[in-house]
Amino acid sequence: GNSVTQMEGPVTLSEEAFLTINCTYTATGYPSLFWYVQYPGEGLQLLLKATKADDKGSNKGFEATYRKETTSFHLEKGSVQVSDSAVYFCARDGRGGGSNYKLTFGKGTLLTVNP
Amino acid sequence: DGGITQSPKYLFRKEGQNVTLSCEQNLNHDAMYWYRQDPGQGLRLIYYSQIVNDFQKGDIAEGYSVSREKKESFPLTVTSAQKNPTAFYLCASTQPGGQNYGYTFGSGTRLTVV
């Protein structure tokens, strides 16, 4: 079945450091790929998405590029802030791999940014 | 503003009780989903519905039930058969193939067995 693997945390950085959170997905079908962010006690918010190969999603200084050749969708930010501290989830939908638009999530990566 | 409303935010259940979690959306989305979140396990799909009066089991449906009588509502019942119901429950919706395709999540319900 479909699966998503993302780097395990926790990740602790100093403010203004460079962030990378790795994410790979199973290659079945032609999925859309997503990054979601979750702040403590809240639901998930869509951070960015990409719907086809070579697309780059971006939002609030975060970026991720849909790499079909490496089945990856790594999240990056050039300079993190304390307010970026949260849990980040990578996800794919099921298109082309069965299950239509169901989302499959990675296990999440906790990011803590210190002043 | 359009969105998803989950209620209650906190819910306490006694052993042997059934409880129902509410999920309402005013986004006019056809598809709705219930996920369960446990620490270190990410999100796991319980049930989903792609159209009114139809729903399918997800990966961990045992001990749960749902209904989809109206487009905007997708309540989840946690039955006494669910052995370990303490978790954070998230409802989501999307419009498959829509121009701004993406999932919208509610703010969640935290269920605790007492």
CSV table of all heavy atoms in Angstrom, one decimal, chain A residues 17-78:
chain,number,residue,atom,x,y,z
A,17,ALA,N,18.7,29.3,11.8
A,17,ALA,CA,19.4,28.1,11.2
A,17,ALA,C,18.6,27.6,10.0
A,17,ALA,O,17.4,27.9,9.8
A,17,ALA,CB,19.5,27.0,12.2
A,18,PHE,N,19.3,26.8,9.2
A,18,PHE,CA,18.7,26.2,8.0
A,18,PHE,C,18.0,24.9,8.4
A,18,PHE,O,18.5,24.1,9.2
A,18,PHE,CB,19.7,25.9,6.9
A,18,PHE,CG,19.2,25.3,5.7
A,18,PHE,CD1,18.7,26.2,4.7
A,18,PHE,CD2,19.1,24.0,5.4
A,18,PHE,CE1,18.2,25.7,3.5
A,18,PHE,CE2,18.6,23.5,4.2
A,18,PHE,CZ,18.1,24.4,3.3
A,19,LEU,N,16.8,24.7,7.9
A,19,LEU,CA,16.0,23.5,8.2
A,19,LEU,C,15.8,22.6,7.0
A,19,LEU,O,15.5,23.1,5.9
A,19,LEU,CB,14.6,23.9,8.7
A,19,LEU,CG,13.6,22.8,8.8
A,19,LEU,CD1,13.9,21.9,10.0
A,19,LEU,CD2,12.2,23.4,9.0
A,20,THR,N,16.0,21.3,7.2
A,20,THR,CA,15.6,20.3,6.2
A,20,THR,C,14.9,19.2,7.0
A,20,THR,O,15.5,18.7,8.0
A,20,THR,CB,16.8,19.7,5.5
A,20,THR,OG1,17.4,20.7,4.7
A,20,THR,CG2,16.3,18.6,4.5
A,21,ILE,N,13.7,18.8,6.5
A,21,ILE,CA,13.1,17.6,7.0
A,21,ILE,C,12.8,16.7,5.8
A,21,ILE,O,12.1,17.0,4.9
A,21,ILE,CB,11.7,17.9,7.7
A,21,ILE,CG1,11.9,18.9,8.9
A,21,ILE,CG2,11.1,16.6,8.2
A,21,ILE,CD1,10.6,19.3,9.6
A,22,ASN,N,13.4,15.5,5.9
A,22,ASN,CA,13.3,14.6,4.8
A,22,ASN,C,12.0,13.8,4.7
A,22,ASN,O,11.5,13.5,5.8
A,22,ASN,CB,14.5,13.6,4.8
A,22,ASN,CG,15.8,14.3,4.5
A,22,ASN,OD1,15.9,15.3,3.9
A,22,ASN,ND2,16.9,13.6,5.0
A,23,CYS,N,11.5,13.6,3.5
A,23,CYS,CA,10.3,12.9,3.3
A,23,CYS,C,10.4,12.1,2.0
A,23,CYS,O,10.8,12.6,1.0
A,23,CYS,CB,9.1,13.8,3.3
A,23,CYS,SG,7.5,13.0,2.8
A,24,THR,N,10.1,10.8,2.1
A,24,THR,CA,10.0,10.0,0.9
A,24,THR,C,8.7,9.2,0.9
A,24,THR,O,8.1,9.0,1.9
A,24,THR,CB,11.2,8.9,0.8
A,24,THR,OG1,11.1,8.1,2.0
A,24,THR,CG2,12.5,9.6,0.7
A,25,TYR,N,8.2,8.9,-0.3
A,25,TYR,CA,6.9,8.3,-0.4
A,25,TYR,C,7.0,7.1,-1.4
A,25,TYR,O,7.9,6.9,-2.1
A,25,TYR,CB,5.9,9.3,-1.0
A,25,TYR,CG,6.2,9.8,-2.4
A,25,TYR,CD1,5.7,9.2,-3.5
A,25,TYR,CD2,7.1,10.9,-2.5
A,25,TYR,CE1,6.0,9.6,-4.8
A,25,TYR,CE2,7.5,11.3,-3.8
A,25,TYR,CZ,6.9,10.7,-4.9
A,25,TYR,OH,7.3,11.1,-6.2
A,26,THR,N,6.0,6.2,-1.2
A,26,THR,CA,5.9,5.0,-2.2
A,26,THR,C,5.6,5.5,-3.5
A,26,THR,O,4.8,6.5,-3.7
A,26,THR,CB,4.9,4.0,-1.7
A,26,THR,OG1,3.7,4.7,-1.4
A,26,THR,CG2,5.4,3.2,-0.5
A,27,ALA,N,6.1,4.9,-4.5
A,27,ALA,CA,6.0,5.4,-5.9
A,27,ALA,C,4.8,5.0,-6.7
A,27,ALA,O,4.7,5.2,-7.9
A,27,ALA,CB,7.3,5.0,-6.7
A,28,THR,N,3.8,4.4,-6.0
A,28,THR,CA,2.6,4.0,-6.8
A,28,THR,C,1.8,5.2,-7.2
A,28,THR,O,1.5,6.1,-6.5
A,28,THR,CB,1.8,3.1,-5.9
A,28,THR,OG1,1.5,3.8,-4.6
A,28,THR,CG2,2.4,1.8,-5.6
A,29,GLY,N,1.3,5.1,-8.5
A,29,GLY,CA,0.4,6.1,-9.0
A,29,GLY,C,1.0,7.4,-9.2
A,29,GLY,O,2.2,7.6,-9.5
A,30,TYR,N,0.2,8.5,-9.1
A,30,TYR,CA,0.6,9.9,-9.4
A,30,TYR,C,0.1,10.8,-8.3
A,30,TYR,O,-0.8,11.6,-8.6
A,30,TYR,CB,0.1,10.3,-10.8
A,30,TYR,CG,-1.3,9.9,-11.1
A,30,TYR,CD1,-2.3,10.7,-10.9
A,30,TYR,CD2,-1.6,8.6,-11.6
A,30,TYR,CE1,-3.6,10.4,-11.2
A,30,TYR,CE2,-2.9,8.2,-11.9
A,30,TYR,CZ,-3.9,9.1,-11.7
A,30,TYR,OH,-5.2,8.7,-11.9
A,31,PRO,N,0.6,10.6,-7.1
A,31,PRO,CA,0.0,11.3,-6.0
A,31,PRO,C,0.3,12.8,-6.0
A,31,PRO,O,1.2,13.3,-6.6
A,31,PRO,CB,0.7,10.7,-4.8
A,31,PRO,CG,2.1,10.3,-5.3
A,31,PRO,CD,1.8,9.8,-6.8
A,32,SER,N,-0.6,13.5,-5.3
A,32,SER,CA,-0.2,14.8,-4.8
A,32,SER,C,0.4,14.7,-3.5
A,32,SER,O,0.2,13.8,-2.7
A,32,SER,CB,-1.5,15.7,-4.7
A,32,SER,OG,-2.0,16.0,-5.9
A,33,LEU,N,1.3,15.6,-3.2
A,33,LEU,CA,2.1,15.6,-2.0
A,33,LEU,C,1.9,16.8,-1.1
A,33,LEU,O,1.7,17.9,-1.7
A,33,LEU,CB,3.6,15.4,-2.3
A,33,LEU,CG,4.0,14.2,-3.2
A,33,LEU,CD1,5.5,14.3,-3.5
A,33,LEU,CD2,3.7,12.9,-2.4
A,34,PHE,N,2.0,16.7,0.2
A,34,PHE,CA,1.6,17.7,1.1
A,34,PHE,C,2.6,17.8,2.3
A,34,PHE,O,3.1,16.8,2.7
A,34,PHE,CB,0.2,17.5,1.7
A,34,PHE,CG,-0.9,17.3,0.6
A,34,PHE,CD1,-1.1,16.0,0.1
A,34,PHE,CD2,-1.7,18.3,0.3
A,34,PHE,CE1,-2.1,15.8,-0.9
A,34,PHE,CE2,-2.7,18.1,-0.7
A,34,PHE,CZ,-2.9,16.9,-1.2
A,35,TRP,N,2.7,19.0,2.8
A,35,TRP,CA,3.3,19.2,4.1
A,35,TRP,C,2.2,19.9,5.0
A,35,TRP,O,1.7,21.0,4.5
A,35,TRP,CB,4.6,20.0,4.1
A,35,TRP,CG,5.8,19.2,3.8
A,35,TRP,CD1,6.4,19.1,2.6
A,35,TRP,CD2,6.5,18.4,4.7
A,35,TRP,NE1,7.5,18.2,2.7
A,35,TRP,CE2,7.6,17.8,4.0
A,35,TRP,CE3,6.3,18.1,6.1
A,35,TRP,CZ2,8.5,16.9,4.6
A,35,TRP,CZ3,7.2,17.2,6.7
A,35,TRP,CH2,8.3,16.6,5.9
A,36,TYR,N,2.0,19.4,6.2
A,36,TYR,CA,1.1,20.0,7.1
A,36,TYR,C,1.9,20.3,8.4
A,36,TYR,O,2.9,19.7,8.7
A,36,TYR,CB,0.0,19.0,7.5
A,36,TYR,CG,-1.1,18.9,6.5
A,36,TYR,CD1,-1.0,18.0,5.4
A,36,TYR,CD2,-2.3,19.7,6.6
A,36,TYR,CE1,-2.0,17.9,4.5
A,36,TYR,CE2,-3.3,19.6,5.6
A,36,TYR,CZ,-3.1,18.7,4.6
A,36,TYR,OH,-4.1,18.6,3.6
A,37,VAL,N,1.4,21.4,9.1
A,37,VAL,CA,2.0,21.8,10.4
A,37,VAL,C,0.9,21.7,11.4
A,37,VAL,O,-0.3,22.0,11.2
A,37,VAL,CB,2.6,23.2,10.2
A,37,VAL,CG1,1.6,24.2,9.9
A,37,VAL,CG2,3.3,23.6,11.5
A,38,GLN,N,1.3,21.3,12.6
A,38,GLN,CA,0.4,21.2,13.8
A,38,GLN,C,1.1,21.8,15.0
A,38,GLN,O,2.1,21.4,15.4
A,38,GLN,CB,0.1,19.7,14.1
A,38,GLN,CG,-0.9,19.5,15.2
A,38,GLN,CD,-1.2,18.1,15.5
A,38,GLN,OE1,-0.3,17.2,15.5
A,38,GLN,NE2,-2.4,17.8,15.9
A,39,TYR,N,0.4,22.9,15.5
A,39,TYR,CA,0.8,23.5,16.7
A,39,TYR,C,0.1,22.8,17.9
A,39,TYR,O,-0.9,22.2,17.7
A,39,TYR,CB,0.4,25.0,16.6
A,39,TYR,CG,1.1,25.7,15.5
A,39,TYR,CD1,0.5,26.0,14.3
A,39,TYR,CD2,2.5,26.1,15.6
A,39,TYR,CE1,1.1,26.6,13.2
A,39,TYR,CE2,3.1,26.7,14.5
A,39,TYR,CZ,2.4,26.9,13.4
A,39,TYR,OH,3.1,27.5,12.3
A,40,PRO,N,0.7,22.9,19.1
A,40,PRO,CA,0.2,22.2,20.2
A,40,PRO,C,-1.3,22.4,20.5
A,40,PRO,O,-1.8,23.5,20.5
A,40,PRO,CB,1.0,22.8,21.4
A,40,PRO,CG,2.3,23.2,20.8
A,40,PRO,CD,1.9,23.7,19.4
A,41,GLY,N,-2.0,21.2,20.6
A,41,GLY,CA,-3.4,21.2,20.9
A,41,GLY,C,-4.3,21.6,19.8
A,41,GLY,O,-5.5,21.8,20.0
A,42,GLU,N,-3.8,21.7,18.6
A,42,GLU,CA,-4.6,22.2,17.4
A,42,GLU,C,-4.7,21.1,16.3
A,42,GLU,O,-4.0,20.1,16.4
A,42,GLU,CB,-4.0,23.4,16.8
A,42,GLU,CG,-4.0,24.6,17.8
A,42,GLU,CD,-3.5,25.9,17.2
A,42,GLU,OE1,-3.3,25.9,15.9
A,42,GLU,OE2,-3.3,26.9,17.9
A,43,GLY,N,-5.5,21.3,15.4
A,43,GLY,CA,-5.6,20.5,14.2
A,43,GLY,C,-4.4,20.8,13.3
A,43,GLY,O,-3.5,21.6,13.6
A,44,LEU,N,-4.5,20.1,12.1
A,44,LEU,CA,-3.4,20.3,11.1
A,44,LEU,C,-3.7,21.5,10.2
A,44,LEU,O,-4.9,21.6,9.8
A,44,LEU,CB,-3.2,19.0,10.3
A,44,LEU,CG,-2.3,18.0,10.9
A,44,LEU,CD1,-2.9,17.4,12.1
A,44,LEU,CD2,-2.0,16.9,9.9
A,45,GLN,N,-2.7,22.2,9.8
A,45,GLN,CA,-2.9,23.3,8.8
A,45,GLN,C,-2.0,22.9,7.6
A,45,GLN,O,-0.9,22.5,7.7
A,45,GLN,CB,-2.4,24.6,9.4
A,45,GLN,CG,-3.2,25.0,10.6
A,45,GLN,CD,-2.6,26.3,11.2
A,45,GLN,OE1,-1.9,27.1,10.5
A,45,GLN,NE2,-2.7,26.5,12.5
A,46,LEU,N,-2.6,23.1,6.4
A,46,LEU,CA,-1.8,22.9,5.2
A,46,LEU,C,-0.7,23.9,5.1
A,46,LEU,O,-1.0,25.1,5.1
A,46,LEU,CB,-2.7,23.0,4.0
A,46,LEU,CG,-2.1,22.8,2.6
A,46,LEU,CD1,-1.5,21.4,2.5
A,46,LEU,CD2,-3.1,23.0,1.5
A,47,LEU,N,0.5,23.5,4.9
A,47,LEU,CA,1.6,24.4,4.8
A,47,LEU,C,1.9,24.6,3.3
A,47,LEU,O,2.1,25.7,2.9
A,47,LEU,CB,2.9,23.8,5.5
A,47,LEU,CG,4.1,24.6,5.5
A,47,LEU,CD1,3.9,26.0,6.1
A,47,LEU,CD2,5.3,23.9,6.2
A,48,LEU,N,2.0,23.5,2.5
A,48,LEU,CA,2.3,23.6,1.1
A,48,LEU,C,1.9,22.3,0.4
A,48,LEU,O,1.8,21.3,1.1
A,48,LEU,CB,3.7,24.1,0.8
A,48,LEU,CG,4.9,23.3,1.4
A,48,LEU,CD1,5.2,22.0,0.6
A,48,LEU,CD2,6.1,24.1,1.6
A,49,LYS,N,1.8,22.4,-0.9
A,49,LYS,CA,1.5,21.1,-1.6
A,49,LYS,C,2.1,21.2,-3.0
A,49,LYS,O,2.5,22.3,-3.5
A,49,LYS,CB,0.0,20.9,-1.7
A,49,LYS,CG,-0.7,21.9,-2.6
A,49,LYS,CD,-2.2,21.7,-2.7
A,49,LYS,CE,-2.8,22.7,-3.7
A,49,LYS,NZ,-4.3,22.5,-3.8
A,50,ALA,N,2.2,20.0,-3.6
A,50,ALA,CA,2.7,19.9,-5.0
A,50,ALA,C,1.9,18.8,-5.7
A,50,ALA,O,1.7,17.7,-5.1
A,50,ALA,CB,4.2,19.7,-5.1
A,51,THR,N,1.4,19.0,-6.9
A,51,THR,CA,0.5,18.1,-7.5
A,51,THR,C,1.1,17.3,-8.6
A,51,THR,O,0.5,16.3,-9.0
A,51,THR,CB,-0.8,18.8,-8.0
A,51,THR,OG1,-0.4,19.8,-8.9
A,51,THR,CG2,-1.6,19.4,-6.9
A,52,LYS,N,2.3,17.6,-9.0
A,52,LYS,CA,2.9,16.8,-10.1
A,52,LYS,C,4.4,17.0,-10.0
A,52,LYS,O,5.0,17.9,-9.4
A,52,LYS,CB,2.4,17.2,-11.5
A,52,LYS,CG,2.7,18.6,-11.9
A,52,LYS,CD,2.1,18.9,-13.2
A,52,LYS,CE,2.5,20.3,-13.8
A,52,LYS,NZ,2.0,21.4,-12.9
A,53,ALA,N,5.1,16.1,-10.7
A,53,ALA,CA,6.6,16.0,-10.6
A,53,ALA,C,7.2,17.4,-11.0
A,53,ALA,O,6.7,18.0,-12.0
A,53,ALA,CB,7.1,14.9,-11.6
A,54,ASP,N,8.2,17.7,-10.3
A,54,ASP,CA,9.0,19.0,-10.5
A,54,ASP,C,8.3,20.2,-10.0
A,54,ASP,O,8.9,21.3,-10.0
A,54,ASP,CB,9.4,19.1,-11.9
A,54,ASP,CG,10.3,18.0,-12.4
A,54,ASP,OD1,11.1,17.5,-11.6
A,54,ASP,OD2,10.2,17.6,-13.6
A,55,ASP,N,7.1,20.1,-9.5
A,55,ASP,CA,6.4,21.2,-8.9
A,55,ASP,C,7.1,21.6,-7.6
A,55,ASP,O,7.6,20.7,-6.9
A,55,ASP,CB,4.9,20.9,-8.6
A,55,ASP,CG,4.0,21.2,-9.7
A,55,ASP,OD1,4.5,21.7,-10.8
A,55,ASP,OD2,2.8,21.0,-9.5
A,56,LYS,N,7.2,22.9,-7.3
A,56,LYS,CA,7.7,23.4,-6.0
A,56,LYS,C,6.5,24.0,-5.3
A,56,LYS,O,5.9,25.0,-5.8
A,56,LYS,CB,8.8,24.3,-6.2
A,56,LYS,CG,9.3,24.9,-4.9
A,56,LYS,CD,10.4,26.0,-5.1
A,56,LYS,CE,11.7,25.3,-5.5
A,56,LYS,NZ,12.8,26.4,-5.5
A,57,GLY,N,6.3,23.5,-4.1
A,57,GLY,CA,5.3,24.2,-3.2
A,57,GLY,C,6.1,25.1,-2.3
A,57,GLY,O,7.2,24.8,-1.9
A,58,SER,N,5.5,26.3,-2.0
A,58,SER,CA,6.1,27.2,-1.1
A,58,SER,C,5.1,28.0,-0.3
A,58,SER,O,4.0,28.3,-0.8
A,58,SER,CB,7.0,28.1,-1.9
A,58,SER,OG,6.3,28.9,-2.8
A,59,ASN,N,5.5,28.4,0.9
A,59,ASN,CA,4.6,29.1,1.8
A,59,ASN,C,5.4,29.6,3.0
A,59,ASN,O,6.1,28.7,3.6
A,59,ASN,CB,3.4,28.3,2.2
A,59,ASN,CG,2.3,29.1,3.0
A,59,ASN,OD1,2.3,30.3,2.8
A,59,ASN,ND2,1.6,28.4,3.8
A,60,LYS,N,5.3,30.8,3.4
A,60,LYS,CA,5.9,31.3,4.7
A,60,LYS,C,7.4,31.0,4.7
A,60,LYS,O,7.9,30.8,5.8
A,60,LYS,CB,5.2,30.7,5.9
A,60,LYS,CG,3.7,31.0,5.9
A,60,LYS,CD,3.0,30.4,7.2
A,60,LYS,CE,1.6,30.7,7.2
A,60,LYS,NZ,0.9,30.1,8.4
A,61,GLY,N,8.1,31.0,3.6
A,61,GLY,CA,9.5,30.7,3.6
A,61,GLY,C,9.9,29.3,3.5
A,61,GLY,O,11.0,28.9,3.3
A,62,PHE,N,8.9,28.4,3.6
A,62,PHE,CA,9.1,27.0,3.5
A,62,PHE,C,9.0,26.6,2.0
A,62,PHE,O,8.2,27.2,1.3
A,62,PHE,CB,8.1,26.2,4.3
A,62,PHE,CG,8.3,26.3,5.8
A,62,PHE,CD1,7.6,27.2,6.5
A,62,PHE,CD2,9.1,25.4,6.5
A,62,PHE,CE1,7.7,27.4,7.9
A,62,PHE,CE2,9.2,25.5,7.8
A,62,PHE,CZ,8.5,26.4,8.5
A,63,GLU,N,9.8,25.6,1.6
A,63,GLU,CA,9.7,25.1,0.2
A,63,GLU,C,9.9,23.6,0.2
A,63,GLU,O,10.5,23.0,1.1
A,63,GLU,CB,10.8,25.7,-0.6
A,63,GLU,CG,10.8,27.1,-0.9
A,63,GLU,CD,11.9,27.6,-1.8
A,63,GLU,OE1,12.9,26.9,-1.9
A,63,GLU,OE2,11.8,28.7,-2.4
A,64,ALA,N,9.3,22.9,-0.8
A,64,ALA,CA,9.5,21.5,-1.0
A,64,ALA,C,9.3,21.3,-2.5
A,64,ALA,O,8.3,21.8,-3.1
A,64,ALA,CB,8.5,20.7,-0.2
A,65,THR,N,10.1,20.4,-3.1
A,65,THR,CA,10.0,20.1,-4.5
A,65,THR,C,9.7,18.6,-4.7
A,65,THR,O,10.3,17.8,-4.1
A,65,THR,CB,11.4,20.4,-5.2
A,65,THR,OG1,11.7,21.8,-5.0
A,65,THR,CG2,11.3,20.1,-6.7
A,66,TYR,N,8.7,18.4,-5.6
A,66,TYR,CA,8.3,17.0,-5.9
A,66,TYR,C,9.3,16.4,-6.8
A,66,TYR,O,9.4,16.7,-8.0
A,66,TYR,CB,6.9,17.2,-6.6
A,66,TYR,CG,6.1,16.0,-6.8
A,66,TYR,CD1,4.7,16.1,-6.7
A,66,TYR,CD2,6.6,14.7,-7.2
A,66,TYR,CE1,3.9,15.0,-6.9
A,66,TYR,CE2,5.8,13.6,-7.4
A,66,TYR,CZ,4.4,13.8,-7.3
A,66,TYR,OH,3.6,12.7,-7.6
A,67,ARG,N,10.0,15.4,-6.2
A,67,ARG,CA,11.1,14.8,-7.0
A,67,ARG,C,10.6,13.3,-7.3
A,67,ARG,O,10.7,12.4,-6.4
A,67,ARG,CB,12.4,14.7,-6.2
A,67,ARG,CG,12.9,16.1,-5.8
A,67,ARG,CD,13.6,16.8,-7.0
A,67,ARG,NE,14.2,18.0,-6.6
A,67,ARG,CZ,14.5,19.0,-7.4
A,67,ARG,NH1,14.2,18.9,-8.7
A,67,ARG,NH2,15.2,20.1,-6.9
A,68,LYS,N,10.2,13.1,-8.5
A,68,LYS,CA,9.7,11.8,-8.9
A,68,LYS,C,10.8,10.8,-8.9
A,68,LYS,O,10.7,9.6,-8.6
A,68,LYS,CB,8.9,11.8,-10.2
A,68,LYS,CG,8.2,10.5,-10.5
A,68,LYS,CD,7.4,10.7,-11.8
A,68,LYS,CE,6.7,9.4,-12.1
A,68,LYS,NZ,5.8,9.6,-13.4
A,69,GLU,N,12.0,11.2,-9.4
A,69,GLU,CA,13.1,10.3,-9.6
A,69,GLU,C,13.7,9.7,-8.3
A,69,GLU,O,14.2,8.6,-8.2
A,69,GLU,CB,14.2,11.0,-10.4
A,69,GLU,CG,14.9,12.1,-9.7
A,69,GLU,CD,14.2,13.4,-9.9
A,69,GLU,OE1,13.0,13.4,-10.4
A,69,GLU,OE2,14.7,14.5,-9.6
A,70,THR,N,13.5,10.5,-7.2
A,70,THR,CA,14.0,10.0,-5.9
A,70,THR,C,12.8,9.8,-5.0
A,70,THR,O,13.0,9.5,-3.8
A,70,THR,CB,14.9,11.0,-5.3
A,70,THR,OG1,14.3,12.3,-5.2
A,70,THR,CG2,16.2,11.2,-6.1
A,71,THR,N,11.6,9.9,-5.5
A,71,THR,CA,10.4,9.8,-4.7
A,71,THR,C,10.5,10.5,-3.3
A,71,THR,O,10.2,10.0,-2.3
A,71,THR,CB,10.0,8.3,-4.4
A,71,THR,OG1,11.0,7.6,-3.6
A,71,THR,CG2,9.8,7.6,-5.7
A,72,SER,N,10.8,11.8,-3.5
A,72,SER,CA,11.1,12.6,-2.3
A,72,SER,C,10.3,13.9,-2.3
A,72,SER,O,10.0,14.4,-3.4
A,72,SER,CB,12.6,12.9,-2.1
A,72,SER,OG,13.1,13.6,-3.1
A,73,PHE,N,10.1,14.5,-1.1
A,73,PHE,CA,9.4,15.8,-1.0
A,73,PHE,C,9.9,16.5,0.2
A,73,PHE,O,9.2,16.7,1.2
A,73,PHE,CB,7.9,15.6,-1.0
A,73,PHE,CG,7.1,16.8,-1.2
A,73,PHE,CD1,7.2,17.6,-2.3
A,73,PHE,CD2,6.1,17.1,-0.2
A,73,PHE,CE1,6.4,18.7,-2.5
A,73,PHE,CE2,5.3,18.2,-0.4
A,73,PHE,CZ,5.5,19.0,-1.5
A,74,HIS,N,11.2,16.8,0.3
A,74,HIS,CA,11.9,17.3,1.5
A,74,HIS,C,11.5,18.7,1.7
A,74,HIS,O,11.4,19.6,0.8
A,74,HIS,CB,13.4,17.2,1.3
A,74,HIS,CG,13.9,15.9,1.0
A,74,HIS,ND1,13.4,14.7,1.5
A,74,HIS,CD2,14.9,15.5,0.2
A,74,HIS,CE1,14.1,13.7,1.0
A,74,HIS,NE2,15.0,14.1,0.2
A,75,LEU,N,11.2,19.0,3.0
A,75,LEU,CA,10.8,20.4,3.4
A,75,LEU,C,12.1,21.2,3.8
A,75,LEU,O,12.9,20.6,4.6
A,75,LEU,CB,9.9,20.3,4.6
A,75,LEU,CG,9.3,21.6,5.1
A,75,LEU,CD1,8.4,22.3,4.1
A,75,LEU,CD2,8.6,21.4,6.5
A,76,GLU,N,12.2,22.4,3.3
A,76,GLU,CA,13.3,23.2,3.7
A,76,GLU,C,12.9,24.7,4.0
A,76,GLU,O,11.8,25.1,3.5
A,76,GLU,CB,14.3,23.3,2.5
A,76,GLU,CG,14.9,22.0,2.1
A,76,GLU,CD,15.9,22.1,0.9
A,76,GLU,OE1,15.7,23.1,0.1
A,76,GLU,OE2,16.8,21.3,0.8
A,77,LYS,N,13.7,25.3,4.9
A,77,LYS,CA,13.5,26.7,5.2
A,77,LYS,C,14.9,27.3,5.5
A,77,LYS,O,15.6,26.7,6.2
A,77,LYS,CB,12.6,26.9,6.3
A,77,LYS,CG,12.3,28.4,6.5
A,77,LYS,CD,11.2,28.7,7.6
A,77,LYS,CE,10.9,30.2,7.7
A,77,LYS,NZ,9.9,30.5,8.7
A,78,GLY,N,15.2,28.4,4.9
A,78,GLY,CA,16.5,29.0,5.0
A,78,GLY,C,16.8,29.6,6.3
A,78,GLY,O,18.0,29.5,6.7
